[in-house]
Amino acid sequence: MHTLVLTKGVPDFREGKVSFDEDGHLERGKTPTVMNPNDAYALNAALQTRVRHGGRVSVMSMGPPGYKEVLREAMATTYADDLYLVSDREMAAADTWATAITLSAAIEKMGVPDLVFAGFKTADGETGHTGPQTCWCLDMPIVTHVTGLDVDEEAGRLRARRLVEGDLSETETVETDLPAFVVVDPEFEPSYRTAGHRLTLKDLRETARERAPDYEDALTVWDHADINVDPDYIGLDGSPTIVSSVDPIPKPPAEREATMVDPGDPEGMRAVLDAMRPLAGDGSDDAAAAGGD
């Protein structure tokens, strides 16, 4: 089994330092970046498949050279056998459609895997388009909002449990042929049914953590020429989306004002209790009803 996980770097909103150029495009090189949180569920789905069926897990991202760290994070926190970064200036400022064209070309170059996993949306754009659009370019069957899955290798079939229209109270089970594209929902829970599975999981994660410091040994970097795509169809030139405006993301305050009160100071503690009473009530009515003093 060969599984591929698509991941992306997103702005680290905890830092509050998100930089845009004058045209409203995110300047990723000037913005602190972390792995998209929803991609962790896709990584867990791929790891479950690796534990149960062997083979290898690849992780791919499209972005600037700094996205190497995103791929290292994917390896260190979950698991990966090999890493792919698709990167050059021709790909800059791509919308989801241009990104999908680029990723699908890279996937075809590497050889279409048995399963492609993607998170259901990113923390920056939140459109949920890139996974399905990449799948459309590859002409593969797709299953979205997946919360659980099994693979029948002999039959070449995927069986998946998915949410119905995002409703947590209703699920359905669907089947499709491999290769297939899977959009993993945040409700996904990996299942390791045997002691052998759990031991394999432990070994694989330890191996990944040991390899992560030398992740570049497992990294392949391709530019647009390597994957044979026309620059007119990728990056900003290939993006039909027009950004009309962006709103700045304020940085949360690093410090809050606080008044220090010594617990041994009766007057100080009384002032604290007086300030809290409007929020919690002083309990006098309850005390009177119960016959308290």
Side-chain angles (χ1 to χ4, degrees):
M1 289 289 295
H2 180 203
T3 61
L4 170 66
V5 181
L6 301 180
T7 188
K8 181 188 178 186
V10 296
D12 187 353
F13 295 113
R14 296 170 299 180
E15 296 294 326
K17 298 176 181 177
V18 181
S19 179
F20 296 92
D21 65 20
E22 59 184 13
D23 295 320
H25 302 124
L26 178 65
E27 294 185 301
R28 296 190 181 275
K30 298 180 181 180
T31 302
T33 302
V34 294
M35 185 180 75
N36 178 48
N38 282 316
D39 296 340
Y41 304 106
L43 285 163
N44 282 330
L47 179 56
Q48 174 188 287
T49 305
R50 171 73 166 81
V51 167
R52 292 187 186 179
H53 304 285
R56 82 182 200 270
V57 175
S58 302
V59 181
M60 178 182 289
S61 188
M62 188 201 88
Y67 275 30
K68 291 179 182 179
E69 281 299 309
V70 173
L71 294 169
R72 182 202 61 77
E73 183 182 350
M75 175 181 278
T77 58
T78 309
Y79 182 83
D81 290 289
D82 42 54
L83 309 169
Y84 292 84
L85 177 63
V86 190
S87 177
D88 71 22
R89 290 187 178 275
E90 299 289 351
M91 302 169 189
D95 66 1
T96 59
W97 178 242
T99 300
I101 290 174
T102 306
L103 288 172
S104 62
I107 292 169
E108 288 178 337
K109 178 177 174 63
M110 76 180 299
V112 176
D114 299 289
L115 284 169
V116 181
F117 292 101
F120 88 119
K121 66 179 181 180
T122 58
D124 49 3
E126 293 202 344
T127 65
H129 290 172
T130 303
Q133 286 174 333
T134 303
C135 177
W136 186 87
C137 292
L138 295 168
D139 194 25
M140 298 169 69
I142 186 170
V143 186
T144 60
H145 290 289
V146 170
T147 62
L149 60 89
D150 284 299
V151 175
D152 185 336
E153 285 186 89
E154 240 179 78
R157 298 277 290 174
L158 167 72
R159 180 182 175 89
R161 183 177 67 253
R162 67 180 301 273
L163 300 179
V164 177
E165 295 185 357
D167 185 350
L168 297 181
S169 65
E170 186 177 355
T171 62
E172 64 181 359
T173 300
V174 297
E175 293 190 23
T176 189
D177 292 327
L178 300 178
F181 200 106
V182 175
V183 178
V184 184
D185 195 87
E187 293 297 314
F188 180 85
E189 293 186 7
S191 173
Y192 300 101
R193 299 166 181 163
T194 68
H197 287 165
R198 292 187 285 274
L199 287 172
T200 301
L201 172 67
K202 179 175 179 291
D203 290 343
L204 289 175
R205 281 190 161 159
E206 286 179 357
T207 299
R209 282 193 292 269
E210 290 169 1
R211 293 175 62 223
D214 300 315
Y215 73 97
E216 290 194 84
D217 293 343
L219 175 67
T220 298
V221 180
W222 287 329
D223 61 19
H224 78 278
D226 292 321
I227 60 174
N228 194 30
V229 291
D230 187 329
D232 289 342
Y233 293 94
I234 61 173
L236 180 60
D237 288 345
S239 299
T241 305
I242 298 173
V243 179
S244 60
S245 65
V246 294
D247 295 323
I249 300 172
K251 184 175 182 178
E255 297 180 0
R256 296 181 180 179
E257 294 183 3
T259 301
M260 302 299 294
V261 179
D262 185 344
D265 175 9
E267 292 300 322
M269 292 302 295
R270 185 174 291 110
V272 172
L273 292 173
D274 287 343
M276 292 173 62
R277 279 195 177 102
L279 300 175
D282 61 11
S284 58
D285 291 342
D286 292 339
D293 296 330

